[in-house]
Amino acid sequence: MVKNKLSQSVRLALAFGITASFGYSVNVVAEEADQSEIQTIEKIQVTGSRIKRIDIEATQPITVIGSDYISERGLTNAATAVTDIPGVFSGATPNLATNTEANGSGLGQNTIDIYGLGAQRTLTLVNGSRFVSSNSPVGGGSDPGSAVDVNNIPVGMIERVEVVKVGGAPIYGADAVAGVVNYILKDDYEGAEFSADYSSIPDSNAQETSFRGLMGGNFSNDKGNVVFSFEYNETDNIAAKDVPSLRDGWGSYTPVGTDAVAGADGEVPVSQVRLYSQPRAGILSFSGLTSPGPVAITNIGLGAWNDGGFWQFDPAGTGDLVPFDAGIKTGNTVWSSGGDGLDLVETNTAREGYERYNLSVFGNYSVTDAINFSVTAFANASDAANQGYQASRYSSGAFGGNEFSLMFNTDNPFLNNQARSKLEGFLGGPGDFYLQRGWTNLGQRAIKNESNVRSIKLGFDGIIALGDTEWDWALSYQKGVSTIYSQSSGISDFLFLAALDAGVNPETGEIDCKANYVEDYHDQFTATGSGITGDKSILGAVGECSPIDPFGTVSQDAVEYVNYTAMNYARLEQDIFQAFAAGELFELPAGGVGMAIGYEQRTEYASYTQDGTGRLAFGNADASTEGEYTTKDIFMELHLPFVSSDMDIPLVYNLSSEMSYRRLDNSNSGTDDVWAVGLNYQPVAELMIRANVAETVRAPAVTELFLPRVEITSFATDPCDRRNIGQGPDPQTREANCKAEGVPDEFVSIAGNASRNGYTGGDDSLKNEQAKSKNFGVLYTPSWAEGLELSVDWVNIEITDAIVNFSLTDIMEACYDSTSYPNDFCTMFKRDDNFQLPSIDAFESGYVNAALREFESIEYSANFKRLLSDYPLIGGLFSNDAGEFAIRSRFYQLKKNARSNTGSDFTDTTGQYNNPEWRSDFKFSYEVGDLYTYLDVNYHGEGVRNVESKEPLQYIDQNGNPYTKLDAITLYNLGGVYNITDTLAVRASVNNLMDWYPDAKELAVGRITYGRTFNVGVTAKF
């Protein structure tokens, strides 16, 4: 403890370094300061520095969320409070957009992504230390990296969360490119606290339940303290078909006939798309679309029978042949409006459900007056599920390989007389026909995960006297292990086709698999070679096969026969040894020169193991992988006070600088130096100017380094498609290169509607990503307006050698948008003779250091908090006990968010609907006596439909009106807390108070809402 005046600079730091968010009140501090000229102030260590000091103003933007804010709003997840901040986003999230494929080993996870630069570039800490990642090297929920699933952080133990934007690598190591999120937990708690919260979303028929317990106390004559925390949370799955905003589907497709809108010249732009409701893909149906040939695409008339119509098997399961409604035709090859085609909403998940248990222990004990021992331990378990992403199996001529359409003969015993008669009438007698079906009756692609996290940190810290000064020191070892058992359902090719190959068993007279009665049927499915023949068939023993009725109702025995469960296991380990010391080197006239120096050795290991069923069932490449790296870092930090307020220098009320440096030695990616230099300047007591420049890095993740060559699928926006050829950074270059390849002018690619198969893999020669950042800010707390706080911060980040895994679209754009055509990217994909991409072996990709990112933003805040009786102009209308009213606002202005995956084709989506220029929030609160109420207003600015579009008639709504923008979104959350007694509080809130619902334009781009959410909770303290 040191004694010093509570300077205006400290008030500024408190106002914007801590209080600007919600958990603390600068006014209370100021009032206390007025009562005594001399205050006893404890030196404080904040995120972004290891040096404890009184003047805690940071040189980077920092936002702090206090435990009161979390409790008042009944937050049950450690991510929510942070992602509420404008400019901070979710990385992995259980809340899915429409038609989103589940990340097999990342179900239910929540990770944080500052500035949208990727969760792998945001470093998440617990009590200033790293935490073991749960991001599997294959099938992880976030981009490859060490992103932390913050579900593992107990909400009830959070003292505060400090979010430092821009950098942090010199203090905490690699990966802190966009910033740092530091969860600081209660470490000296006495008492007991129990909370329960319940949420309901009536529109989506979903609930969430949470229970939390916190107990702590001192022991051994107050030398020690131990805190226990237990939490349970259960969140329901939400099926996409149960969400009105997903069920009310819209899509944008090329118009036909009078639906098209011509320009003044009478021409319809080739890129024009119109809103159509209820998108359906006319390439199959869930009951089975029939066709005379192998391909059916009803929107273009392909697959019609000789009566001009389309026919499917009865969705009721009778086996009869009934008309297929092709819907309203659009100009898209595959998608129609309405009808009986493939409806993705019927088979998808909108929110992944999960159940989690968190047990945490924090203890400390004063071994001596100068040495303290501490332990932090976590034991967490969770079960998460995605109830389905599309059907387990598709059969369509639009696809390839094992998902091609199926051929049957009219002598198939499962055909009833009505269907056989109808088909043979079309065919002119017995013959073959084709079936295009989504096999939802065989199940969906469901995934279940069982995750466990174990982490323990043991440490000693204390104070040591060096001359006339005291230095803090700390020594710790940390071990974390995260495991994920993932189970996914699938259908075996061999068993599926065997179950379809049915006839009449001569011994029973019943329809049966031929595998059960045809002699030598199993020979071709039994291993043989080198004079040895196996004794088991891949189809199972004779009699095990259960036939599938492809035209009617499938038996449960058949479902169980063809389905299998694949199991994958991911394990991530983290070992950290760390030692550092911090104190004052010597005194300057303005104060002591602070210094921190330390060493850290960290090993990150990750493995992913498949059980081999995918290889047996589909012949897929084994994606099992493992790898590790060790980094040995030394770091140093300096804080230099040049001028203090008591030196009475005109226009220099306070001036200080902080410098940090870290030398990283990574066993795989080599050595790197990262550093930062910051400056704080107060010309007068009320005004602070801060600036910081830094160079940071991100180390390659195990996935990026060691992933084997594995098969993947990808849709693609083909640059040579007639609808896309006029877009891109230079449309003339794109068009010239497509013509040079010979692609026809009217070419329409199917790759946007039917995924293509390709390959990707890691590269152990990858090097560190490099990043340079700058920020400049002004903070103002005018003495003439007590309670008013204003700030503005400019941020700039440039990333080079960013690691990227090229998508199929990336590869094709890099080929056709380059002035050096043909180039190496043109060899990474191939076309068939008709210029379509083949369904299999279409492309080859992998991780490379190639991408560039350029980011720029300005952030503003304005806060005002006073007793109503002290408000200007209206204060006289209220008594002193009328309560306190606060307004807090934050504005995030995105200036630039450009990326290039090749180094030459920058794309900046700033101002687009999903990357608007403006985001903001307003938080109004009123507190009187035992009642606290709030109204939160969240604003997502308007944005253009497509920043690259230069055609005013490209986008047409359902009524034929052109549009270029999507409206802003404003959401309101209303809630309150009432303290029944000093130890018992109840709370209630409504999120999406005004029941915002997206319009057709918004639904077409994936904007959804689950509906209005009602929350209630209670907290009891003892």
Side-chain angles (χ1 to χ4, degrees), residues 620-635:
N620 292 342
D622 187 3
S624 299
T625 187
E626 70 172 336
E628 71 174 23
Y629 63 83
T630 298
T631 179
K632 300 177 181 179
D633 304 351
I634 57 172
F635 56 88

Side-chain angles (χ1 to χ4, degrees), residues 773-1017:
S773 64
K774 295 172 284 187
N775 66 271
F776 178 85
V778 178
L779 298 78
Y780 183 48
T781 56
S783 58
W784 50 266
E786 183 181 343
L788 178 63
E789 307 158 359
L790 304 171
S791 74
V792 58
D793 283 282
W794 171 80
V795 172
N796 178 272
I797 301 174
E798 295 182 357
I799 305 173
T800 57
D801 290 329
I803 300 169
V804 61
N805 184 17
F806 293 117
S807 70
L808 179 52
T809 298
D810 292 333
I811 294 170
M812 299 182 76
E813 288 179 346
C815 168
Y816 295 111
D817 289 339
S818 173
T819 55
S820 58
Y821 172 88
N823 52 55
D824 290 342
F825 288 99
C826 302
T827 66
M828 296 171 64
F829 67 95
K830 51 188 179 181
R831 295 184 183 274
D832 288 335
D833 291 341
N834 61 359
F835 296 101
Q836 297 288 352
L837 298 170
S839 59
I840 58 175
D841 299 335
F843 64 99
E844 188 84 31
S845 185
Y847 291 98
V848 292
N849 288 104
L852 304 175
R853 295 292 299 269
E854 295 181 359
F855 173 87
E856 183 181 352
S857 71
I858 301 176
E859 301 181 44
Y860 311 83
S861 72
N863 308 317
F864 188 69
K865 180 179 182 180
R866 292 186 72 174
L867 295 172
L868 281 175
S869 58
D870 292 336
Y871 262 67
L873 302 179
I874 63 171
L877 302 176
F878 300 94
S879 64
N880 290 335
D881 58 358
E884 185 178 61
F885 184 71
I887 304 173
R888 302 188 183 279
S889 58
R890 298 173 296 194
F891 303 84
Y892 170 78
Q893 183 183 16
L894 182 63
K895 304 293 289 183
K896 187 176 187 179
N897 189 10
R899 67 178 69 202
S900 169
N901 285 341
T902 63
S904 60
D905 57 340
F906 272 98
T907 299
D908 188 354
T909 58
T910 299
Q912 193 164 282
Y913 69 91
N914 55 352
N915 217 7
E917 180 182 0
W918 288 98
R919 299 175 193 258
S920 62
D921 67 359
F922 300 84
K923 298 186 181 296
F924 304 90
S925 64
Y926 173 65
E927 187 171 7
V928 57
D930 294 319
L931 178 66
Y932 172 86
T933 60
Y934 67 86
L935 174 66
D936 293 345
V937 182
N938 299 298
Y939 174 81
H940 175 109
E942 70 172 14
V944 299
R945 176 60 176 80
N946 182 352
V947 294
E948 292 188 349
S949 176
K950 301 176 179 60
E951 172 53 64
L953 295 179
Q954 180 169 355
Y955 297 99
I956 307 298
D957 70 13
Q958 69 273 29
N959 299 314
N961 302 310
Y963 68 96
T964 58
K965 294 183 178 181
L966 269 64
D967 292 338
I969 304 172
T970 304
L971 301 178
Y972 302 85
N973 301 331
L974 176 68
V977 180
Y978 183 71
N979 296 299
I980 299 175
T981 68
D982 291 341
T983 60
L984 181 65
V986 293
R987 57 186 164 270
S989 63
V990 181
N991 294 344
N992 191 10
L993 177 68
M994 307 305 292
D995 203 17
W996 170 82
Y997 192 87
D999 63 23
K1001 297 189 291 292
E1002 294 171 307
L1003 290 169
V1005 297
R1007 283 186 178 175
I1008 69 165
T1009 174
Y1010 296 132
R1012 189 184 282 127
T1013 304
F1014 299 90
N1015 314 287
V1016 293

Side-chain angles (χ1 to χ4, degrees), residues 557-767:
D557 287 342
V559 172
E560 293 175 0
Y561 176 69
V562 300
N563 272 276
Y564 69 90
T565 299
M567 296 190 66
N568 307 314
Y569 174 67
R571 183 180 180 90
L572 297 94
E573 298 182 15
Q574 182 185 70
D575 289 86
I576 303 175
F577 170 78
Q578 186 180 89
F580 77 90
E584 291 185 357
L585 289 175
F586 53 85
E587 285 283 332
L588 291 176
V593 175
M595 178 182 180
I597 188 169
Y599 171 81
E600 179 179 283
Q601 178 173 313
R602 175 170 54 92
T603 299
E604 300 279 357
Y605 167 85
S607 66
Y608 175 83
T609 305
Q610 291 186 324
D611 65 0
T613 51
R615 186 175 182 85
L616 291 174
F618 298 107
N620 292 342
D622 187 3
S624 299
T625 187
E626 70 172 336
E628 71 174 23
Y629 63 83
T630 298
T631 179
K632 300 177 181 179
D633 304 351
I634 57 172
F635 56 88
M636 183 178 69
E637 182 185 358
L638 287 174
H639 176 254
L640 302 171
F642 299 124
V643 178
S644 62
S645 58
D646 54 10
M647 296 172 69
D648 295 325
I649 299 177
L651 295 181
V652 189
Y653 184 83
N654 212 319
L655 179 65
S656 65
S657 176
E658 57 186 42
M659 307 174 187
S660 53
Y661 167 82
R662 193 179 191 102
R663 175 74 168 179
L664 303 99
D665 187 358
N666 187 296
S667 60
N668 195 85
S669 56
T671 59
D672 252 308
D673 298 307
V674 297
W675 56 268
V677 177
L679 185 72
N680 271 322
Y681 167 54
Q682 283 182 264
V684 293
E686 303 168 350
L687 181 67
M688 180 188 295
I689 299 171
R690 62 186 175 196
N692 190 84
V693 294
E695 290 190 5
T696 61
V697 300
R698 182 182 82 86
V702 168
T703 307
E704 296 161 330
L705 293 166
F706 304 116
L707 180 70
R709 185 174 181 267
V710 296
E711 188 173 5
I712 60 173
T713 61
S714 176
F715 292 94
T717 302
D718 193 327
C720 295
D721 186 299
R722 68 183 182 87
R723 297 162 295 183
N724 307 319
I725 201 165
Q727 300 181 29
D730 185 354
Q732 291 183 337
T733 297
R734 174 179 289 191
E735 183 176 2
N737 291 338
C738 291
K739 286 183 178 297
E741 186 162 341
V743 180
D745 291 342
E746 295 302 309
F747 172 71
V748 176
S749 173
I750 199 173
N753 299 309
S755 61
R756 309 288 93 174
N757 283 35
Y759 294 88
T760 190
D763 182 353
D764 61 7
S765 66
L766 291 173
K767 56 187 179 180

Side-chain angles (χ1 to χ4, degrees), residues 496-511:
F496 175 67
L497 295 176
L500 288 173
D501 190 12
V504 177
N505 190 325
E507 295 183 7
T508 65
E510 301 290 335
I511 300 176

Side-chain angles (χ1 to χ4, degrees), residues 470-546:
E470 292 182 339
W471 280 56
D472 299 310
W473 61 270
L475 185 72
S476 65
Y477 172 74
Q478 182 175 328
K479 174 72 174 183
V481 178
S482 177
T483 60
I484 304 166
Y485 289 92
S486 180
Q487 302 178 49
S488 58
S489 61
I491 294 178
S492 164
D493 283 355
F494 297 104
L495 304 187
F496 175 67
L497 295 176
L500 288 173
D501 190 12
V504 177
N505 190 325
E507 295 183 7
T508 65
E510 301 290 335
I511 300 176
D512 200 356
C513 300
K514 292 180 181 178
N516 292 336
Y517 65 87
V518 174
E519 187 177 357
D520 300 330
Y521 191 96
H522 286 259
D523 289 354
Q524 59 184 320
F525 301 102
T526 303
T528 182
S530 300
I532 297 176
T533 299
D535 57 1
K536 291 186 181 296
S537 164
I538 196 171
L539 304 181
V542 173
E544 285 189 19
C545 179
S546 183

Side-chain angles (χ1 to χ4, degrees), residues 164-188:
V164 179
K165 296 179 179 177
V166 196
I171 306 299
Y172 302 110
D175 307 337
V177 174
V180 176
V181 179
N182 188 10
Y183 289 90
I184 298 172
L185 308 183
K186 297 178 173 71
D187 62 353
D188 191 10

